[in-house]
Amino acid sequence: MSKQTILIVEDEPSLIEVLSYNLEKEGFTVLTASDGQAGLDRALNVVPELVILDLMLPGLDGLQVCAQLRNDSRTKDIRILMLTARSEETDEVVGFNMGADDYVTKPFKVRPLVHRVKALLRRSETSSESSSDVISAHGVEIDRTNHVTKVEGEEIELTLTEFRLLWALMRQPGRTFSRLELLDDSRGADANALERTIDVHIRALRKKLGSRGDLVETVRGIGYRFKRS
């Protein structure tokens, strides 16, 4: 099997070096670019499996690069992990609305980021059947593009973590996810995050789903699943 290719678009040489070293050690082929236009050109030419994309770049910024990748048929399905020095939730929402799959705030630890990259690539291998950005089942509808969730036609407000959890579960109804898998999908493998924090988010999510809360089923000793149709 050929190696998966990761493109790093980042203007900090030291960060490029440490990310390249750690990703290559994990068996990935790593390409780099130090500005937005060069990164966009390289992505269009090579079509990597995943792009690690800094938000603040010379020339085209990360949001512009992300939007253009999503609008091109050659690159619309690649995974995009966005890096930023910002920490405002509104910035994260904008990143997701532009098509980013995940979002990491600097400074970060390299090992959890590599774990996050692997989780995104695993997700891309198992979610090809769910190419739509809108999933609807049992009266619950989730729209990843517009970041909207509805229950019986009524919009509800979810936090980013709750939204990501629901998207992960609804994308593969009937499949049991471990807490660690859900941690990957919702927040990444943060060294300060515990698997049991997923239980807290699931309780909050069920409460917000109201009468449809029982669609998120507990699998004792393992984790959670969304009820199969």
Side-chain angles (χ1 to χ4, degrees), residues 64 67 78 81 85 87 89 95 136 142 195 200:
Q64 292 173 303
I78 64 176
L81 174 62
S87 59
E89 186 172 283
S136 181
I142 185 167
E195 292 179 50
V200 176

PDB file of all heavy atoms in Angstrom, residues 64 67 78 81 85 87 89 95 136 142 195 200:
ATOM      1  N   GLN A  64      -8.979  31.345   2.823  1.00  0.00           N
ATOM      2  CA  GLN A  64      -9.079  31.436   1.366  1.00  0.00           C
ATOM      3  C   GLN A  64      -8.591  30.155   0.705  1.00  0.00           C
ATOM      4  O   GLN A  64      -9.215  29.663  -0.249  1.00  0.00           O
ATOM      5  CB  GLN A  64      -8.256  32.625   0.864  1.00  0.00           C
ATOM      6  CG  GLN A  64      -8.818  33.985   1.258  1.00  0.00           C
ATOM      7  CD  GLN A  64      -7.867  35.124   0.890  1.00  0.00           C
ATOM      8  OE1 GLN A  64      -6.715  35.151   1.307  1.00  0.00           O
ATOM      9  NE2 GLN A  64      -8.354  36.061   0.103  1.00  0.00           N
ATOM     10  N   ALA A  67     -11.246  27.432   1.267  1.00  0.00           N
ATOM     11  CA  ALA A  67     -12.414  27.612   0.399  1.00  0.00           C
ATOM     12  C   ALA A  67     -12.113  27.174  -1.028  1.00  0.00           C
ATOM     13  O   ALA A  67     -12.947  26.517  -1.675  1.00  0.00           O
ATOM     14  CB  ALA A  67     -12.850  29.071   0.429  1.00  0.00           C
ATOM     15  N   ILE A  78     -10.516  16.119   0.253  1.00  0.00           N
ATOM     16  CA  ILE A  78      -9.362  15.883   1.128  1.00  0.00           C
ATOM     17  C   ILE A  78      -9.650  16.428   2.525  1.00  0.00           C
ATOM     18  O   ILE A  78     -10.450  17.344   2.689  1.00  0.00           O
ATOM     19  CB  ILE A  78      -8.071  16.507   0.556  1.00  0.00           C
ATOM     20  CG1 ILE A  78      -8.170  18.034   0.483  1.00  0.00           C
ATOM     21  CG2 ILE A  78      -7.729  15.919  -0.783  1.00  0.00           C
ATOM     22  CD1 ILE A  78      -6.899  18.688   0.010  1.00  0.00           C
ATOM     23  N   LEU A  81      -6.965  20.026   8.260  1.00  0.00           N
ATOM     24  CA  LEU A  81      -6.773  20.315   9.681  1.00  0.00           C
ATOM     25  C   LEU A  81      -6.199  21.722   9.785  1.00  0.00           C
ATOM     26  O   LEU A  81      -5.089  21.978   9.326  1.00  0.00           O
ATOM     27  CB  LEU A  81      -5.817  19.302  10.309  1.00  0.00           C
ATOM     28  CG  LEU A  81      -5.386  19.544  11.757  1.00  0.00           C
ATOM     29  CD1 LEU A  81      -6.589  19.498  12.690  1.00  0.00           C
ATOM     30  CD2 LEU A  81      -4.346  18.530  12.181  1.00  0.00           C
ATOM     31  N   ALA A  85      -3.400  30.593  15.812  1.00  0.00           N
ATOM     32  CA  ALA A  85      -3.005  31.133  17.108  1.00  0.00           C
ATOM     33  C   ALA A  85      -4.202  31.723  17.831  1.00  0.00           C
ATOM     34  O   ALA A  85      -4.128  32.092  18.992  1.00  0.00           O
ATOM     35  CB  ALA A  85      -1.927  32.201  16.925  1.00  0.00           C
ATOM     36  N   SER A  87      -8.067  31.720  19.527  1.00  0.00           N
ATOM     37  CA  SER A  87      -8.772  30.746  20.364  1.00  0.00           C
ATOM     38  C   SER A  87     -10.256  31.060  20.500  1.00  0.00           C
ATOM     39  O   SER A  87     -10.952  30.448  21.291  1.00  0.00           O
ATOM     40  CB  SER A  87      -8.141  30.702  21.762  1.00  0.00           C
ATOM     41  OG  SER A  87      -8.200  31.976  22.374  1.00  0.00           O
ATOM     42  N   GLU A  89     -14.115  30.938  19.762  1.00  0.00           N
ATOM     43  CA  GLU A  89     -15.001  29.940  19.183  1.00  0.00           C
ATOM     44  C   GLU A  89     -15.561  30.402  17.849  1.00  0.00           C
ATOM     45  O   GLU A  89     -15.776  29.604  16.948  1.00  0.00           O
ATOM     46  CB  GLU A  89     -16.140  29.621  20.160  1.00  0.00           C
ATOM     47  CG  GLU A  89     -17.023  28.474  19.688  1.00  0.00           C
ATOM     48  CD  GLU A  89     -18.031  28.038  20.739  1.00  0.00           C
ATOM     49  OE1 GLU A  89     -17.624  27.339  21.669  1.00  0.00           O
ATOM     50  OE2 GLU A  89     -19.201  28.425  20.608  1.00  0.00           O
ATOM     51  N   GLY A  95     -13.986  28.584  10.465  1.00  0.00           N
ATOM     52  CA  GLY A  95     -13.152  27.569   9.836  1.00  0.00           C
ATOM     53  C   GLY A  95     -13.949  26.363   9.384  1.00  0.00           C
ATOM     54  O   GLY A  95     -13.781  25.880   8.263  1.00  0.00           O
ATOM     55  N   SER A 136     -29.989  13.218   8.018  1.00  0.00           N
ATOM     56  CA  SER A 136     -31.291  13.281   8.668  1.00  0.00           C
ATOM     57  C   SER A 136     -31.749  11.872   9.024  1.00  0.00           C
ATOM     58  O   SER A 136     -31.683  10.963   8.194  1.00  0.00           O
ATOM     59  CB  SER A 136     -32.316  13.947   7.751  1.00  0.00           C
ATOM     60  OG  SER A 136     -33.577  14.040   8.384  1.00  0.00           O
ATOM     61  N   ILE A 142     -28.872  17.192  10.913  1.00  0.00           N
ATOM     62  CA  ILE A 142     -27.644  17.930  11.215  1.00  0.00           C
ATOM     63  C   ILE A 142     -27.001  18.374   9.903  1.00  0.00           C
ATOM     64  O   ILE A 142     -26.824  17.576   8.985  1.00  0.00           O
ATOM     65  CB  ILE A 142     -26.677  17.071  12.081  1.00  0.00           C
ATOM     66  CG1 ILE A 142     -25.448  17.894  12.483  1.00  0.00           C
ATOM     67  CG2 ILE A 142     -26.314  15.766  11.412  1.00  0.00           C
ATOM     68  CD1 ILE A 142     -24.614  17.246  13.571  1.00  0.00           C
ATOM     69  N   GLU A 195     -11.277  10.454  28.721  1.00  0.00           N
ATOM     70  CA  GLU A 195     -12.339   9.774  27.986  1.00  0.00           C
ATOM     71  C   GLU A 195     -13.702   9.991  28.648  1.00  0.00           C
ATOM     72  O   GLU A 195     -14.726  10.098  27.974  1.00  0.00           O
ATOM     73  CB  GLU A 195     -12.037   8.280  27.887  1.00  0.00           C
ATOM     74  CG  GLU A 195     -10.833   7.948  27.018  1.00  0.00           C
ATOM     75  CD  GLU A 195     -10.568   6.456  26.978  1.00  0.00           C
ATOM     76  OE1 GLU A 195     -11.525   5.699  26.707  1.00  0.00           O
ATOM     77  OE2 GLU A 195      -9.426   6.044  27.224  1.00  0.00           O
ATOM     78  N   VAL A 200     -20.076  13.372  29.934  1.00  0.00           N
ATOM     79  CA  VAL A 200     -20.686  14.662  30.279  1.00  0.00           C
ATOM     80  C   VAL A 200     -21.311  15.293  29.041  1.00  0.00           C
ATOM     81  O   VAL A 200     -22.446  15.783  29.071  1.00  0.00           O
ATOM     82  CB  VAL A 200     -19.636  15.611  30.893  1.00  0.00           C
ATOM     83  CG1 VAL A 200     -20.243  16.980  31.170  1.00  0.00           C
ATOM     84  CG2 VAL A 200     -19.071  15.007  32.166  1.00  0.00           C
TER      85      VAL A 200
END
